[in-house]
């Protein structure tokens, strides 16, 4: 059989039709989502897309990422060769041979070498799945040895082998220059005698093998998980330009629904995310809930969105109720309630995703549905919500008790025009016995540096961070409105807070309410005061032994504050703190974020124990934190693991120690 343009045209038309229909079906499902603006600042978006999608920055963060990087760029380069192949199959004279000889030979050399690299990487990928599968390649729906994975890898390998067979035959027939194609020339020189005697049969067979493999790949692509080949690059362009450290507001009116209880209540970008997942497992590996045996797997959440959309798409387009629930049903296509509540909102999943999928906001949207539409949430949260509503703190303590932390200090109320910083004490800083010591240490530091500060006293209210992350947007909205009104009434413009959760909420969430506050975490202010010489230490703190620093998720990943606490500790102790194996942007959560502070861990290992075990491997004398939640979780973990004489100190306590004679 020889290449036949008419037959090939029919096959190409069929393959392209299947491809287009498959793409249209899936992209039309994306259109079922709610509207969302994702096209602002195209220049900045393009730069990020080139860095992350084409530069494969996050992919290269893992050793095997280099293999994927080569396959990705081979795909890009060989797209030119395959475009020529398709064009010449319809019109034989449509080839790169019409280009100037030097350029044509350069392209042939490039295609030849890249094809060899691609084939080698495909074989490595097969060997990895067969003999060295990573744990992330094994889950309920992702298998290292899945038929689909080997089908795709086999099609790519067939394309490369057919390419070499075709060009080796042409070289043997004298129709191509062997100097431009060293790999194909090597094969041509080592052809078996039967093929060398009549290379035209090899040429014809290889041409049709290449054609069938390419057209099969094209037709199958939209129906496979490898649709991310089409969606991953635009998904990097469409991702949020800012860190996803806040959630969109909801408008509350009679008759409206809240959160996401069915798949078409997600935005179109949420649905596009689901088709962009490469199923690489990086989010699963980074997730503290998944790592400690909880029901949550961020990758499974995204897969559930996609599967649910495909299952319910026809009904939703017809205006009917979906048959498969998004939340709570057994099996594939639904997110489990325990999994939804297991999320600590630490952001580790989003930080490692190579295609910038936004897992955490989807989970919070489903929490909003459960809380506000179903009143379905863990039992412990009922008390938490009631306490916040009644007395604006998690423990339900009387607001008059908010000032008890400074019984031995002279603390001034904030006065507009006279006081520079509002010290936003926070619920933990005002009510938690251990954190009160940190508040006193911070007040001592501010006084020693001559900083003008004051508090709201008993009028201070909870910031609402846990409310929002737990999905109780209605109470958060009311809390935020009250706080914004109070800040405006008191003339507050600059805030310092010791809690990263308060810091993030006031800095990021409250901007949605039209208030622009200069919010600093105490680690930032302390580091700045030390650097400027405004805070003069009386001694170097040298009795802490080996000091290990733990990054708070809401200070680090959510707000990019990594250096300030380290600089402050180095200035006070004279040495940089020791680091966890997982540190800075790869830091492992303490387990208390996302409202988990107010819930018991019913599944698997406690997250704080995982982190404390990691700490103990470093043999520290002191663990330093910069968050009240982390302080509690670290101390509890050390007690449970009988951590010997290891102490936990908050950053402000360490610095305040340097102020003592």
């Amino acid at each position: 059989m020889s290449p036949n343009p008419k037959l090939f045209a029919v096959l190409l038309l069929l393959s392209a039709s299947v491809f287009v229909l498959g793409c249209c079906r899936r992209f039309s499902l994306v259109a079922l989502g709610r509207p969302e603006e994702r096209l602002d600042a195209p220049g900045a978006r393009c730069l990020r897309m080139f860095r992350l999608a084409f530069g494969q920055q996050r992919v290269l963060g893992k050793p095997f990422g280099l293999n994927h990087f080569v396959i990705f760029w081979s795909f890009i380069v060989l797209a030119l060769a395959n475009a020529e192949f398709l064009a010449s199959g319809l019109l034989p004279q449509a080839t790169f041979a019409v280009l100037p000889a030097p350029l044509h030979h350069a392209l042939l050399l490039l295609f030849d070498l890249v094809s060899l690299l691609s084939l080698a990487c495909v074989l490595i990928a097969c060997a990895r799945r067969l003999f060295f599968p990573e744990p992330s390649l094994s889950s309920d729906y992702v298998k290292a040895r899945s038929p689909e994975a080997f089908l795709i890898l086999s099609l790519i390998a067939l394309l490369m082998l057919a390419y070499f067979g075709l060009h080796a035959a042409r070289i043997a027939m004298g129709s191509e220059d062997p100097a431009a194609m060293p790999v194909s020339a090597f094969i041509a020189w080592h052809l078996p005698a039967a093929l060398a005697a009549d290379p035209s049969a090899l040429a014809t067979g290889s041409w049709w093998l290449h054609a069938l493999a390419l057209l099969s790949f094209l037709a199958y692509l939209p129906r496979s998980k490898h649709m991310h080949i089409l969606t991953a690059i635009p998904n990097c362009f469409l991702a949020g330009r800012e860190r996803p450290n806040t959630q969109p507001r909801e408008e509350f009116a009679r008759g409206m629904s809240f959160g996401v209880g069915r798949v078409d209540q997600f935005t179109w970008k949420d649905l596009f995310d689901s088709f962009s997942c490469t199923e690489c497992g990086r989010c699963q590996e980074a997730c503290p809930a998944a790592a400690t045996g909880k029901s949550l797997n961020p990758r499974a959440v995204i897969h559930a969105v996609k599967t649910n959309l495909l299952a319910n798409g026809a009904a939703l387009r017809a205006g009917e109720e979906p048959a498969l629930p998004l939340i709570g049903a057994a099996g594939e296509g639904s997110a489990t309630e325990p999994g939804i509540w297991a999320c600590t909102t630490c952001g580790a999943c989003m930080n490692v995703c190579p295609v910038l999928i936004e897992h955490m906001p989807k989970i919070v949207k489903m929490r909003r549905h459960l809380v506000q539409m179903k009143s379905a949430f863990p039992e412990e949260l009922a008390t938490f919500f009631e306490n916040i509503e009644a007395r604006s703190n998690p423990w339900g303590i009387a607001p008059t008790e908010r000032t008890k932390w400074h019984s031995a200090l002279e603390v001034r109320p904030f006065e507009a025009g006279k006081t520079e910083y509002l010290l936003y004490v926070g619920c933990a800083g005002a009510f938690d016995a251990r954190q009160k010591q940190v508040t006193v240490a911070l007040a001592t530091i501010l006084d020693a540096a001559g900083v003008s500060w004051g508090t709201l006293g008993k009028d201070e209210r909870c910031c609402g961070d846990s409310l929002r992350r737990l999905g109780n947007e209605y109470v958060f909205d009311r809390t935020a409105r009250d706080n914004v009104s109070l800040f405006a009434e008191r003339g507050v413009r600059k805030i310092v807070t010791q809690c990263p959760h308060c810091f993030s909420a006031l800095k990021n969430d409250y901007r949605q309410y039209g208030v622009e506050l200069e919010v600093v975490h105490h680690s930032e202010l302390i580091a700045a005061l030390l650097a400027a010489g405004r805070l003069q230490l009386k001694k170097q703190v040298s009795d802490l032994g080996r000091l290990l620093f733990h990054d708070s998720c809401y200070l680090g990943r959510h707000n990019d504050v990594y250096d300030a606490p380290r600089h402050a500790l180095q200035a006070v102790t004279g040495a940089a703190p020791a680091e966890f194996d997982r540190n800075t942007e790869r830091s492992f959560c303490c387990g208390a974020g996302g409202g988990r502070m107010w819930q018991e861990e019913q599944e698997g290992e406690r997250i704080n124990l995982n982190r404390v075990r990691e700490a103990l491997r470093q043999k520290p004398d002191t663990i330093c934190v910069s968050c009240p939640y982390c302080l509690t979780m670290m101390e509890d973990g050390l007690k449970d693991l009988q951590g010997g004489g290891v102490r936990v100190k908050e950053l402000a306590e360490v610095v305040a120690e340097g102020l003592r004679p």
Side-chain angles (χ1 to χ4, degrees):
M1 183 183 287
S2 59
N4 184 320
K6 291 183 180 179
L7 176 59
F8 181 70
V10 172
L11 294 175
L12 177 58
L13 181 61
L14 288 173
S15 176
S17 298
V18 173
F19 173 80
V20 171
L21 287 173
C23 289
C24 287
R25 177 173 179 253
R26 295 207 168 190
F27 290 135
S28 68
L29 293 176
V30 170
L32 293 172
R34 291 176 173 174
E36 184 178 13
E37 172 56 50
R38 291 281 182 151
L39 296 175
D40 59 313
R45 290 180 178 276
C46 282
L47 287 174
R48 181 184 58 191
M49 178 182 69
F50 282 115
R51 176 169 52 86
L52 292 172
F54 291 99
Q56 299 272 284
Q57 185 181 60
R58 291 185 177 179
V59 172
L60 289 170
K62 293 181 67 176
F64 191 76
L66 179 60
N67 200 72
H68 187 279
F69 177 85
V70 174
I71 292 177
F72 171 83
W73 273 103
S74 297
F75 182 87
I76 297 295
V77 171
L78 295 178
L80 287 173
N82 287 321
E84 181 202 32
F85 179 86
L86 294 174
S88 64
L90 298 172
L91 194 65
Q93 61 268 34
T95 72
F96 288 139
V98 300
L99 296 172
L103 178 57
H104 182 220
H105 286 178
L107 284 174
L108 291 177
L109 176 62
L110 179 64
F111 296 155
D112 208 47
L113 296 178
V114 168
S115 295
L116 179 63
L117 272 175
S118 181
L119 181 59
C121 288
V122 165
L123 293 175
I124 291 171
C126 287
R128 173 181 178 245
R129 286 179 173 271
L130 284 170
F131 307 115
F132 314 104
E134 294 185 12
S136 61
L137 289 176
S138 179
S139 72
D140 291 340
Y141 67 93
V142 174
K143 303 295 182 185
R145 301 185 179 111
S146 70
E148 181 182 347
F150 285 108
L151 173 62
I152 295 295
L153 290 171
S154 297
L155 286 173
I156 297 173
L158 281 176
L159 285 171
M160 302 304 109
L161 293 172
Y163 175 90
F164 288 129
L166 174 61
H167 290 281
R170 287 177 175 174
I171 290 172
M173 291 187 295
S175 60
E176 285 188 347
D177 184 0
M181 309 182 75
V183 181
S184 297
F186 179 84
I187 296 171
W189 297 331
H190 294 83
L191 286 175
L195 291 176
D198 183 16
S200 62
L202 176 61
T204 300
S206 297
W207 194 95
W208 279 108
L209 179 62
H210 192 284
L212 293 175
L214 183 59
L215 297 182
S216 299
F217 186 85
L218 187 67
Y220 182 62
L221 186 61
R223 288 162 175 77
S224 74
K225 82 178 188 71
H226 285 78
M227 190 182 179
H228 72 259
I229 292 173
L230 304 176
T231 56
I233 294 173
N235 205 57
C236 289
F237 177 86
L238 295 166
R241 290 195 303 115
E242 297 182 351
R243 293 171 181 271
N245 50 22
T246 185
Q247 282 79 39
R249 287 181 64 180
E250 286 186 320
E251 296 298 326
F252 296 96
R254 190 178 299 276
M256 295 182 67
S257 66
F258 308 108
V260 170
R262 51 186 243 180
V263 73
D264 60 333
Q265 292 173 337
F266 281 118
T267 69
W268 68 264
K269 176 56 173 61
D270 289 326
L271 303 182
F272 195 80
D273 271 354
S274 73
F275 289 126
S276 302
C277 179
T278 67
E279 298 185 359
C280 65
R282 284 173 171 80
C283 58
Q284 175 184 333
E285 291 177 344
C287 176
T292 54
K294 310 294 190 295
S295 299
L296 175 63
N297 181 336
R299 178 173 59 176
V301 171
I302 303 304
H303 179 75
V305 172
K306 178 178 73 174
T307 306
N308 192 279
L309 182 61
L310 292 171
N312 292 320
L316 293 171
R317 272 196 292 247
E320 301 171 1
E321 286 294 314
L324 178 63
L326 177 65
I327 302 171
E332 196 173 5
S334 289
T336 66
E337 287 193 28
I340 290 171
W341 292 113
C343 179
T344 68
T345 66
C346 68
C349 51
M350 299 181 293
N351 186 68
V352 298
C353 180
V355 294
L356 304 186
I357 288 171
E358 296 162 15
H359 316 70
M360 182 187 77
K362 296 173 183 54
I363 293 172
V364 173
K365 289 174 183 178
M366 288 188 280
R367 284 181 173 183
R368 287 180 176 182
H369 171 78
L370 292 173
V371 171
Q372 299 177 142
M373 301 300 293
K374 297 285 190 178
S375 294
F377 42 80
E379 185 178 346
E380 309 99 305
L381 295 182
T383 301
F384 171 75
F385 291 151
E386 289 171 3
N387 288 338
I388 294 289
E389 285 196 77
R391 294 192 166 183
S392 196
N393 68 79
W395 300 279
I397 301 172
T400 52
E401 299 290 306
R402 276 193 179 270
T403 58
K404 293 293 181 69
W405 67 269
H406 60 69
S407 57
L409 290 173
E410 180 185 352
V411 175
R412 298 162 295 281
F414 183 90
E415 296 182 60
K418 295 182 180 180
T419 311
E420 182 180 8
Y421 282 99
L422 168 67
L423 172 57
Y424 189 86
V425 180
C427 298
F431 296 118
D432 181 78
R434 178 67 181 86
Q435 192 65 24
K436 286 180 184 179
Q437 300 173 36
V438 179
T439 313
V440 171
L442 177 57
T444 303
I445 292 168
L446 296 177
D447 283 340
V451 175
S452 171
W453 64 277
T455 72
L456 297 174
K458 63 181 179 61
D459 294 331
E460 183 181 289
R461 299 174 59 84
C462 179
C463 69
D465 162 76
S466 289
L467 286 170
R468 176 164 255 200
R469 275 75 203 172
L470 286 168
N472 198 335
E473 183 70 8
Y474 178 79
V475 178
F476 170 78
D477 183 77
R478 191 175 67 185
T479 298
R481 289 177 186 273
D482 289 345
N483 276 330
V484 167
S485 176
L486 180 62
F487 294 156
E489 176 189 325
R490 299 293 179 89
V492 175
R493 293 289 180 268
K494 299 169 73 174
I495 297 177
V496 58
T497 180
Q498 61 194 304
C499 175
H501 297 266
C502 297
F503 167 67
S504 191
L506 297 172
K507 179 180 179 181
N508 303 310
D509 294 314
Y510 279 37
R511 282 185 297 175
Q512 298 173 350
Y513 292 83
V515 61
E516 287 292 336
L517 300 166
E518 183 184 328
V519 187
V520 297
H521 185 253
H522 76 310
S523 64
E524 296 177 293
L525 183 58
I526 290 170
L529 293 172
L530 287 167
R534 289 182 60 185
L535 183 60
Q536 297 290 330
L537 302 176
K538 292 184 171 66
K539 66 176 182 181
Q540 190 173 86
V541 179
S542 57
D543 60 350
L544 298 177
R546 179 172 171 79
L547 181 66
L548 186 66
F549 181 71
H550 163 77
D551 287 283
S552 158
C553 301
Y554 269 70
L555 190 60
R557 268 192 299 270
H558 282 294
N559 289 284
D560 204 28
V561 178
Y562 297 111
D563 294 336
R566 288 172 168 80
H567 290 165
L569 287 174
Q570 183 160 5
V572 174
T573 65
E579 299 284 0
F580 282 78
D581 292 335
R582 297 173 290 188
N583 59 70
T584 56
E585 64 181 13
R586 297 186 302 107
S587 181
F588 194 76
C589 182
C590 74
R596 291 298 315 176
M597 182 73 177
W598 321 111
Q599 303 172 65
E600 291 297 326
E601 292 186 57
Q602 307 292 350
E603 299 179 292
E605 178 191 36
R606 286 173 54 190
I607 294 173
N608 66 325
L609 298 185
N610 184 293
R611 186 59 164 169
V612 170
R613 285 195 182 92
E614 182 183 359
L616 293 177
R617 288 196 292 270
Q618 296 277 359
K619 302 188 183 307
D621 298 295
T622 305
I623 300 173
C624 183
V625 299
S626 55
C627 169
Y629 291 0
C630 297
L631 181 62
T632 297
M633 300 305 273
M634 288 292 176
E635 289 191 333
D636 287 353
L638 285 170
K639 290 175 186 175
D640 290 345
L641 295 178
Q642 299 179 345
V646 179
R647 298 168 291 177
V648 183
K649 291 284 188 181
E650 212 278 345
L651 173 71
E653 293 180 306
V654 176
V655 177
E657 185 66 29
L659 297 174
R660 296 178 182 176

